[in-house]
Amino acid sequence: AMKKPIVATGDSEFYIKNHQTGWLVNYNDIPATLTALKSLLTDPHARTSMGQAGYERIIALCDPAKYGQAILRLYRSMADQK
């Protein structure tokens, strides 16, 4: 979470929202990759806003306190089923 937009391929949809937190391009699609990179290089506002949005998304998805609480709830529900 370095507040930088991402250009990625593959199964990254969970972390990257296309045109919001970065660019998703098809694997081996060189023209789309070049378009995404050029866009980020030439548009500082998009670069900054996508980077900030990506940072906020990762913090929300990967908050250790939230994970800890979720695991605790899981363990408690498993103990209650015994």
Side-chain angles (χ1 to χ4, degrees):
M2 301 295 293
K3 297 186 181 181
K4 304 293 182 200
I6 295 174
V7 176
T9 63
D11 297 326
S12 303
E13 294 88 6
F14 180 75
Y15 295 105
I16 301 169
K17 295 297 177 190
N18 199 27
H19 301 279
Q20 294 174 19
T21 62
W23 285 71
L24 290 172
V25 295
N26 291 326
Y27 176 75
N28 216 19
D29 187 343
I30 303 303
T33 303
L34 291 174
T35 297
L37 292 171
K38 183 178 178 183
S39 172
L40 292 174
L41 288 171
T42 59
D43 188 346
H45 175 71
R47 194 170 53 240
T48 301
S49 63
M50 284 183 183
Q52 182 64 36
Y55 173 80
E56 292 170 7
R57 180 162 177 77
I58 292 302
I59 294 301
L61 290 172
C62 301
D63 180 3
K66 287 182 183 179
Y67 275 135
Q69 290 298 320
I71 290 170
L72 184 58
R73 282 192 304 273
L74 175 63
Y75 287 160
R76 285 182 176 154
S77 71
M78 291 168 57
D80 290 344
Q81 292 177 4
K82 285 189 172 192

